[in-house]
Coordinates of all heavy atoms in Angstrom, one line a residue:
M1 N -17.4 1.7 -8.3 CA -16.3 1.5 -7.3 C -17.0 1.1 -5.9 O -17.8 1.9 -5.4 CB -15.6 2.9 -7.1 CG -14.5 2.8 -6.1 SD -13.0 2.0 -6.6 CE -12.0 3.3 -7.3
P2 N -16.6 0.0 -5.4 CA -17.2 -0.5 -4.1 C -16.8 0.5 -3.0 O -15.7 1.0 -3.1 CB -16.7 -1.9 -3.9 CG -15.7 -2.1 -5.0 CD -15.7 -1.0 -5.9
D3 N -17.6 0.6 -2.0 CA -17.2 1.5 -0.9 C -16.3 0.8 0.0 O -16.1 -0.4 0.0 CB -18.4 2.2 -0.2 CG -19.2 1.1 0.6 OD1 -18.6 0.3 1.2 OD2 -20.4 1.2 0.6
E4 N -15.7 1.6 0.9 CA -14.6 1.2 1.8 C -15.1 0.0 2.7 O -14.3 -1.0 2.9 CB -14.2 2.3 2.7 CG -13.0 2.0 3.5 CD -11.8 2.9 3.2 OE1 -12.0 3.9 2.5 OE2 -10.8 2.6 3.7
T5 N -16.3 0.0 3.1 CA -16.8 -1.0 4.0 C -16.8 -2.4 3.3 O -16.4 -3.4 3.9 CB -18.3 -0.7 4.5 OG1 -18.3 0.7 4.9 CG2 -18.7 -1.5 5.6
V6 N -17.2 -2.4 2.1 CA -17.3 -3.6 1.3 C -15.8 -4.1 1.1 O -15.6 -5.3 1.3 CB -17.9 -3.3 -0.1 CG1 -17.8 -4.6 -1.0 CG2 -19.4 -2.9 0.1
L7 N -14.9 -3.2 0.8 CA -13.5 -3.6 0.6 C -12.9 -4.2 1.9 O -12.2 -5.2 1.8 CB -12.7 -2.5 0.1 CG -13.0 -2.1 -1.4 CD1 -12.2 -0.8 -1.8 CD2 -12.6 -3.2 -2.3
R8 N -13.2 -3.6 3.0 CA -12.7 -4.0 4.3 C -13.3 -5.4 4.6 O -12.5 -6.3 5.0 CB -13.0 -3.1 5.4 CG -12.2 -1.9 5.4 CD -12.5 -0.9 6.5 NE -11.8 0.3 6.4 CZ -10.5 0.5 6.6 NH1 -9.8 -0.5 7.0 NH2 -9.9 1.7 6.5
A9 N -14.5 -5.6 4.3 CA -15.2 -6.9 4.5 C -14.5 -8.0 3.6 O -14.2 -9.1 4.1 CB -16.7 -6.9 4.2
K10 N -14.2 -7.6 2.4 CA -13.6 -8.5 1.5 C -12.2 -8.9 1.9 O -11.7 -10.0 1.8 CB -13.5 -7.8 0.1 CG -14.6 -8.2 -0.9 CD -14.2 -7.7 -2.3 CE -15.3 -8.1 -3.2 NZ -15.0 -7.6 -4.6
A11 N -11.5 -7.8 2.4 CA -10.1 -8.1 2.9 C -10.1 -9.1 4.1 O -9.3 -10.0 4.1 CB -9.4 -6.8 3.3
R12 N -11.1 -8.9 5.0 CA -11.2 -9.8 6.1 C -11.5 -11.2 5.6 O -11.0 -12.2 6.1 CB -12.3 -9.4 7.0 CG -11.8 -8.4 8.1 CD -12.8 -8.3 9.2 NE -14.1 -7.9 8.8 CZ -14.5 -6.6 8.6 NH1 -13.6 -5.6 8.9 NH2 -15.7 -6.3 8.2
E13 N -12.3 -11.3 4.6 CA -12.7 -12.6 4.0 C -11.5 -13.3 3.4 O -11.2 -14.5 3.6 CB -13.8 -12.4 2.9 CG -14.2 -13.7 2.2 CD -15.1 -14.6 3.1 OE1 -15.4 -14.2 4.2 OE2 -15.3 -15.8 2.7
V14 N -10.7 -12.5 2.7 CA -9.4 -13.1 2.1 C -8.5 -13.6 3.2 O -7.9 -14.7 3.0 CB -8.7 -12.0 1.3 CG1 -7.3 -12.4 0.8 CG2 -9.6 -11.7 0.0
I15 N -8.4 -12.9 4.3 CA -7.6 -13.4 5.4 C -8.2 -14.6 6.0 O -7.5 -15.6 6.3 CB -7.3 -12.3 6.4 CG1 -6.5 -11.2 5.8 CG2 -6.7 -12.8 7.7 CD1 -6.5 -9.9 6.6
R16 N -9.5 -14.6 6.2 CA -10.2 -15.7 6.9 C -10.0 -17.0 6.1 O -9.9 -18.1 6.6 CB -11.6 -15.4 7.1 CG -12.3 -16.2 8.1 CD -13.8 -15.8 8.3 NE -14.5 -16.0 7.0 CZ -14.9 -17.2 6.5 NH1 -14.7 -18.3 7.2 NH2 -15.6 -17.3 5.4
T17 N -10.1 -16.9 4.8 CA -10.1 -18.1 3.9 C -8.6 -18.5 3.7 O -8.4 -19.5 3.0 CB -10.8 -17.8 2.6 OG1 -10.2 -16.7 1.9 CG2 -12.2 -17.6 2.8
G18 N -7.7 -17.8 4.2 CA -6.3 -18.2 4.2 C -5.5 -17.8 2.9 O -4.4 -18.2 2.7
K19 N -6.2 -17.0 2.1 CA -5.4 -16.5 0.9 C -4.3 -15.5 1.3 O -3.3 -15.3 0.6 CB -6.4 -15.8 -0.1 CG -7.0 -16.9 -1.0 CD -7.7 -16.2 -2.2 CE -9.2 -16.1 -2.1 NZ -9.8 -15.4 -3.2
L20 N -4.6 -14.8 2.4 CA -3.6 -13.9 3.0 C -3.3 -14.3 4.4 O -4.2 -14.6 5.1 CB -4.0 -12.5 3.0 CG -3.8 -11.6 1.8 CD1 -4.3 -10.2 2.1 CD2 -2.3 -11.5 1.4
P21 N -2.0 -14.4 4.8 CA -1.7 -14.7 6.2 C -2.3 -13.6 7.1 O -2.4 -12.4 6.7 CB -0.2 -14.7 6.3 CG 0.2 -14.7 4.9 CD -0.8 -14.1 4.0
S22 N -2.7 -14.0 8.3 CA -3.3 -13.0 9.3 C -2.2 -12.4 10.1 O -2.5 -11.4 10.8 CB -4.4 -13.7 10.1 OG -3.8 -14.8 10.8
R23 N -1.0 -13.0 10.1 CA 0.0 -12.4 10.9 C 0.6 -11.1 10.3 O 0.4 -10.9 9.1 CB 1.1 -13.4 11.2 CG 1.8 -13.9 9.9 CD 2.4 -15.3 10.1 NE 2.5 -16.0 8.9 CZ 3.5 -16.0 8.0 NH1 4.5 -15.2 8.3 NH2 3.5 -16.7 6.9
P24 N 1.3 -10.3 11.0 CA 1.8 -9.1 10.5 C 2.8 -9.4 9.4 O 3.6 -10.3 9.5 CB 2.5 -8.4 11.6 CG 2.1 -9.1 12.9 CD 1.6 -10.5 12.4
P25 N 2.8 -8.6 8.3 CA 3.7 -8.8 7.2 C 5.2 -8.5 7.6 O 5.4 -7.7 8.5 CB 3.3 -7.9 6.1 CG 2.4 -6.8 6.8 CD 1.9 -7.5 8.0
H26 N 6.0 -9.2 7.0 CA 7.5 -9.0 7.2 C 7.9 -7.7 6.6 O 8.8 -7.0 7.1 CB 8.1 -10.2 6.5 CG 9.6 -10.1 6.3 ND1 10.5 -10.3 7.3 CD2 10.3 -10.0 5.1 CE1 11.7 -10.2 6.8 NE2 11.7 -10.0 5.5
H27 N 7.3 -7.3 5.6 CA 7.8 -6.1 4.9 C 6.6 -5.5 4.0 O 5.9 -6.3 3.4 CB 8.9 -6.5 3.9 CG 9.4 -5.3 3.1 ND1 10.2 -4.3 3.5 CD2 9.2 -5.1 1.7 CE1 10.4 -3.5 2.5 NE2 9.8 -3.9 1.5
T28 N 6.4 -4.2 4.1 CA 5.4 -3.6 3.2 C 6.1 -2.5 2.4 O 7.0 -1.8 2.9 CB 4.2 -3.1 3.9 OG1 4.7 -2.0 4.8 CG2 3.5 -4.1 4.7
R29 N 5.5 -2.2 1.2 CA 6.1 -1.2 0.4 C 4.9 -0.6 -0.4 O 4.1 -1.3 -1.0 CB 7.1 -1.8 -0.6 CG 7.8 -0.8 -1.5 CD 8.7 -1.5 -2.5 NE 7.8 -2.3 -3.5 CZ 7.2 -1.7 -4.5 NH1 7.4 -0.4 -4.8 NH2 6.5 -2.4 -5.3
G30 N 4.8 0.7 -0.4 CA 3.8 1.3 -1.2 C 4.4 1.7 -2.6 O 5.6 2.0 -2.7
G31 N 3.6 1.8 -3.6 CA 4.1 2.3 -4.8 C 3.0 2.1 -5.9 O 1.8 1.9 -5.6
T32 N 3.4 2.3 -7.1 CA 2.5 2.1 -8.2 C 2.4 0.6 -8.6 O 3.3 -0.2 -8.3 CB 2.9 2.9 -9.4 OG1 4.3 2.6 -9.7 CG2 2.8 4.4 -9.2
G33 N 1.3 0.3 -9.2 CA 1.0 -1.1 -9.5 C 2.0 -1.7 -10.4 O 2.6 -1.1 -11.2
A34 N 2.1 -3.0 -10.2 CA 3.1 -3.8 -11.0 C 2.3 -4.7 -12.0 O 2.9 -5.5 -12.7 CB 3.9 -4.7 -10.1
G35 N 1.0 -4.6 -12.1 CA 0.2 -5.4 -13.0 C -0.1 -6.8 -12.4 O -0.6 -7.6 -13.1
A36 N 0.2 -7.0 -11.1 CA -0.1 -8.3 -10.5 C -1.5 -8.2 -9.9 O -2.0 -7.2 -9.6 CB 0.9 -8.5 -9.4
P37 N -2.2 -9.4 -9.9 CA -3.5 -9.4 -9.4 C -3.6 -9.2 -7.9 O -2.7 -9.6 -7.1 CB -4.0 -10.9 -9.7 CG -2.8 -11.7 -9.9 CD -1.7 -10.7 -10.4
C38 N -4.6 -8.4 -7.5 CA -4.8 -8.1 -6.1 C -5.7 -9.2 -5.5 O -6.7 -9.6 -6.0 CB -5.6 -6.8 -6.1 SG -6.4 -6.4 -4.5
P39 N -5.2 -9.8 -4.4 CA -6.0 -11.0 -3.8 C -7.3 -10.6 -3.2 O -8.1 -11.4 -2.9 CB -5.0 -11.5 -2.8 CG -4.1 -10.4 -2.4 CD -4.0 -9.5 -3.7
V40 N -7.5 -9.3 -2.9 CA -8.7 -8.8 -2.3 C -9.8 -8.7 -3.3 O -10.9 -9.3 -3.1 CB -8.5 -7.5 -1.5 CG1 -9.8 -7.0 -0.9 CG2 -7.5 -7.6 -0.5
C41 N -9.6 -8.0 -4.4 CA -10.7 -7.9 -5.4 C -10.5 -8.7 -6.6 O -11.4 -8.8 -7.4 CB -10.8 -6.4 -5.7 SG -9.4 -5.7 -6.6
G42 N -9.3 -9.3 -6.8 CA -9.1 -10.2 -7.9 C -8.8 -9.5 -9.2 O -8.5 -10.2 -10.2
E43 N -8.7 -8.2 -9.2 CA -8.3 -7.5 -10.4 C -6.9 -7.1 -10.3 O -6.3 -6.9 -9.2 CB -9.2 -6.2 -10.5 CG -10.7 -6.6 -10.8 CD -11.6 -5.3 -10.8 OE1 -11.0 -4.2 -10.9 OE2 -12.8 -5.5 -10.6
D44 N -6.3 -6.9 -11.5 CA -4.9 -6.5 -11.5 C -4.7 -5.1 -11.0 O -5.6 -4.2 -11.2 CB -4.4 -6.5 -13.0 CG -4.3 -7.9 -13.5 OD1 -4.4 -8.9 -12.7 OD2 -4.0 -8.1 -14.7
V45 N -3.6 -4.8 -10.3 CA -3.3 -3.5 -9.9 C -2.4 -2.9 -11.0 O -1.3 -3.3 -11.3 CB -2.4 -3.5 -8.6 CG1 -2.2 -2.1 -8.1 CG2 -3.1 -4.3 -7.5
T46 N -3.0 -2.0 -11.8 CA -2.4 -1.5 -13.0 C -1.4 -0.3 -12.6 O -1.4 0.2 -11.5 CB -3.4 -0.9 -13.9 OG1 -4.2 0.1 -13.3 CG2 -4.4 -2.0 -14.4
K47 N -0.6 0.0 -13.6 CA 0.5 1.0 -13.4 C -0.1 2.4 -12.9 O 0.7 3.1 -12.3 CB 1.3 1.2 -14.7 CG 2.2 0.1 -15.0 CD 3.3 0.5 -15.9 CE 2.8 0.9 -17.3 NZ 2.4 -0.2 -18.1
D48 N -1.3 2.7 -13.3 CA -1.8 4.0 -12.9 C -2.6 3.9 -11.6 O -3.3 4.8 -11.2 CB -2.7 4.6 -14.0 CG -3.8 3.7 -14.5 OD1 -3.7 2.5 -14.1 OD2 -4.6 4.1 -15.2
Q49 N -2.5 2.8 -10.9 CA -3.1 2.7 -9.5 C -2.0 2.5 -8.5 O -0.9 2.1 -8.8 CB -4.0 1.4 -9.5 CG -5.2 1.6 -10.4 CD -6.1 0.3 -10.4 OE1 -5.5 -0.8 -10.6 NE2 -7.3 0.4 -10.2
L50 N -2.4 2.8 -7.3 CA -1.4 2.6 -6.2 C -1.6 1.3 -5.5 O -2.7 0.8 -5.4 CB -1.5 3.7 -5.1 CG -1.1 5.1 -5.6 CD1 -1.5 6.1 -4.5 CD2 0.3 5.2 -5.9
E51 N -0.5 0.6 -5.1 CA -0.6 -0.7 -4.5 C 0.2 -0.7 -3.2 O 1.1 0.2 -3.0 CB -0.1 -1.8 -5.4 CG 1.4 -1.7 -5.6 CD 2.0 -2.9 -6.2 OE1 1.3 -3.7 -6.9 OE2 3.2 -3.1 -6.1
I52 N -0.1 -1.6 -2.3 CA 0.8 -1.9 -1.2 C 1.3 -3.3 -1.5 O 0.6 -4.2 -1.8 CB 0.1 -1.9 0.1 CG1 -0.5 -0.5 0.4 CG2 1.1 -2.2 1.2 CD1 -1.4 -0.5 1.6
E53 N 2.6 -3.4 -1.5 CA 3.2 -4.7 -1.7 C 3.6 -5.3 -0.3 O 4.3 -4.6 0.5 CB 4.5 -4.6 -2.5 CG 5.2 -5.9 -2.9 CD 6.5 -5.6 -3.6 OE1 6.4 -5.1 -4.8 OE2 7.5 -5.8 -3.0
V54 N 3.0 -6.4 0.1 CA 3.3 -7.0 1.4 C 4.0 -8.3 1.2 O 3.7 -9.1 0.3 CB 2.0 -7.2 2.2 CG1 1.4 -5.8 2.6 CG2 1.0 -8.0 1.5
E55 N 5.0 -8.5 2.0 CA 5.7 -9.8 2.0 C 5.6 -10.5 3.3 O 5.8 -9.9 4.4 CB 7.2 -9.4 1.7 CG 7.5 -8.9 0.3 CD 8.9 -8.6 0.0 OE1 9.7 -8.7 1.0 OE2 9.3 -8.3 -1.1
F56 N 5.4 -11.8 3.2 CA 5.4 -12.6 4.4 C 6.5 -13.6 4.2 O 6.5 -14.4 3.3 CB 4.0 -13.3 4.5 CG 2.9 -12.4 4.7 CD1 2.2 -11.9 3.6 CD2 2.5 -12.0 6.0 CE1 1.1 -11.1 3.8 CE2 1.4 -11.2 6.2 CZ 0.7 -10.7 5.1
S57 N 7.4 -13.6 5.2 CA 8.5 -14.6 5.1 C 7.9 -15.9 5.8 O 7.2 -15.7 6.8 CB 9.8 -14.2 5.7 OG 9.6 -13.7 7.0
H58 N 8.2 -17.0 5.4 CA 7.8 -18.2 6.1 C 9.0 -19.2 6.1 O 9.8 -19.3 5.2 CB 6.5 -18.8 5.5 CG 6.6 -19.1 4.0 ND1 7.1 -20.3 3.5 CD2 6.3 -18.3 2.9 CE1 7.0 -20.2 2.2 NE2 6.6 -19.0 1.8
D59 N 9.0 -20.0 7.2 CA 10.0 -21.0 7.3 C 9.4 -22.4 7.3 O 8.3 -22.6 6.7 CB 10.9 -20.7 8.5 CG 10.2 -20.3 9.7 OD1 9.0 -20.7 9.8 OD2 10.7 -19.7 10.6
G60 N 10.0 -23.3 8.0 CA 9.5 -24.7 8.0 C 10.0 -25.4 6.8 O 11.1 -25.2 6.4
S61 N 9.2 -26.3 6.3 CA 9.7 -27.2 5.2 C 9.9 -26.5 3.9 O 10.6 -27.0 3.0 CB 8.7 -28.4 5.0 OG 7.4 -27.9 4.7
N62 N 9.2 -25.4 3.7 CA 9.3 -24.7 2.5 C 9.6 -23.2 2.7 O 8.7 -22.3 2.5 CB 8.0 -24.8 1.7 CG 8.1 -24.2 0.3 OD1 9.2 -24.0 -0.3 ND2 7.0 -23.8 -0.2
P63 N 10.8 -22.9 3.1 CA 11.1 -21.5 3.4 C 11.1 -20.6 2.2 O 11.4 -21.0 1.1 CB 12.6 -21.5 4.0 CG 13.1 -22.8 3.6 CD 12.0 -23.7 3.3
G64 N 10.7 -19.4 2.4 CA 10.6 -18.4 1.3 C 9.8 -17.2 1.6 O 9.6 -16.9 2.8
L65 N 9.4 -16.6 0.6 CA 8.7 -15.3 0.8 C 7.4 -15.3 0.0 O 7.4 -15.7 -1.2 CB 9.7 -14.2 0.3 CG 9.6 -12.8 0.9 CD1 9.8 -12.9 2.4 CD2 10.8 -12.0 0.2
D66 N 6.3 -15.0 0.6 CA 5.1 -14.8 -0.2 C 4.9 -13.3 -0.4 O 5.0 -12.5 0.6 CB 3.9 -15.3 0.6 CG 3.9 -16.8 0.7 OD1 4.3 -17.5 -0.3 OD2 3.5 -17.4 1.8
K67 N 4.6 -12.9 -1.6 CA 4.4 -11.5 -1.9 C 3.0 -11.3 -2.5 O 2.6 -12.0 -3.3 CB 5.5 -11.1 -2.9 CG 5.8 -9.6 -3.0 CD 6.7 -9.3 -4.1 CE 8.2 -9.5 -3.7 NZ 9.1 -8.9 -4.8
F68 N 2.4 -10.2 -2.0 CA 1.1 -9.9 -2.5 C 1.0 -8.5 -2.9 O 1.6 -7.6 -2.2 CB 0.0 -10.2 -1.4 CG 0.0 -11.6 -0.9 CD1 0.7 -12.0 0.2 CD2 -0.8 -12.5 -1.6 CE1 0.6 -13.3 0.7 CE2 -0.8 -13.9 -1.1 CZ -0.1 -14.2 0.0
H69 N 0.3 -8.2 -3.9 CA 0.1 -6.8 -4.4 C -1.4 -6.5 -4.1 O -2.3 -7.1 -4.7 CB 0.4 -6.7 -5.9 CG 1.9 -7.0 -6.2 ND1 2.8 -6.0 -6.3 CD2 2.5 -8.1 -6.3 CE1 4.0 -6.5 -6.5 NE2 3.8 -7.9 -6.6
I70 N -1.6 -5.5 -3.3 CA -3.0 -5.2 -2.9 C -3.2 -3.7 -3.2 O -2.4 -2.8 -2.9 CB -3.1 -5.4 -1.3 CG1 -2.7 -6.9 -1.0 CG2 -4.5 -5.1 -0.9 CD1 -2.6 -7.2 0.5
H71 N -4.4 -3.4 -3.7 CA -4.8 -2.0 -3.9 C -4.7 -1.3 -2.5 O -5.1 -1.8 -1.5 CB -6.3 -1.9 -4.4 CG -6.4 -2.4 -5.8 ND1 -6.9 -3.6 -6.2 CD2 -6.0 -1.8 -7.0 CE1 -6.9 -3.7 -7.5 NE2 -6.3 -2.6 -8.0
V72 N -4.4 0.0 -2.6 CA -4.2 0.8 -1.4 C -5.5 0.9 -0.6 O -5.5 0.8 0.6 CB -3.6 2.2 -1.7 CG1 -3.8 3.1 -0.6 CG2 -2.1 2.1 -2.1
R73 N -6.6 1.0 -1.3 CA -7.9 1.2 -0.6 C -8.4 -0.1 -0.1 O -8.7 -1.0 -0.8 CB -8.9 1.9 -1.5 CG -8.5 3.3 -1.7 CD -9.7 4.2 -1.9 NE -10.8 4.0 -1.0 CZ -12.0 4.5 -1.1 NH1 -12.4 5.1 -2.2 NH2 -12.9 4.3 -0.2
Ligands
ZN1 ZN1 -7.8 -4.8 -5.3

């Protein structure tokens, strides 16, 4: 299990490379994993793990909602 510092650095990298928006999310929800891949570590968030679901709404030419499932830690 990587330590918190490594995970935080990874999360910053994910934001920096544009995989996650850097602006505040439109909506967040905590809960158990949905089996979707976590963009920070690349592994699925399984049902026995906790995740934060973050949603970013975006407008412009392609309005919609981006949803990410991220491990709580
Ligand atoms: Zn993860």
Side-chain angles (χ1 to χ4, degrees):
M1 181 74 93
D3 70 38
E4 186 117 13
T5 313
V6 173
L7 287 175
R8 284 182 189 284
K10 267 192 177 180
R12 274 197 300 274
E13 178 71 9
V14 169
I15 290 166
R16 197 182 61 77
T17 55
K19 275 195 259 178
L20 271 182
S22 57
R23 61 203 152 87
H26 166 72
H27 176 75
T28 62
R29 182 189 68 83
T32 52
C38 163
V40 177
C41 68
E43 291 174 21
D44 290 351
V45 188
T46 58
K47 283 201 296 289
D48 54 350
Q49 293 176 310
L50 292 175
E51 68 167 20
I52 301 174
E53 186 183 291
V54 293
E55 291 179 352
F56 298 91
S57 57
H58 54 89
D59 42 25
S61 58
N62 182 25
L65 211 55
D66 291 322
K67 197 186 276 192
F68 302 94
H69 298 263
I70 305 168
H71 289 106
V72 164
R73 286 208 54 192

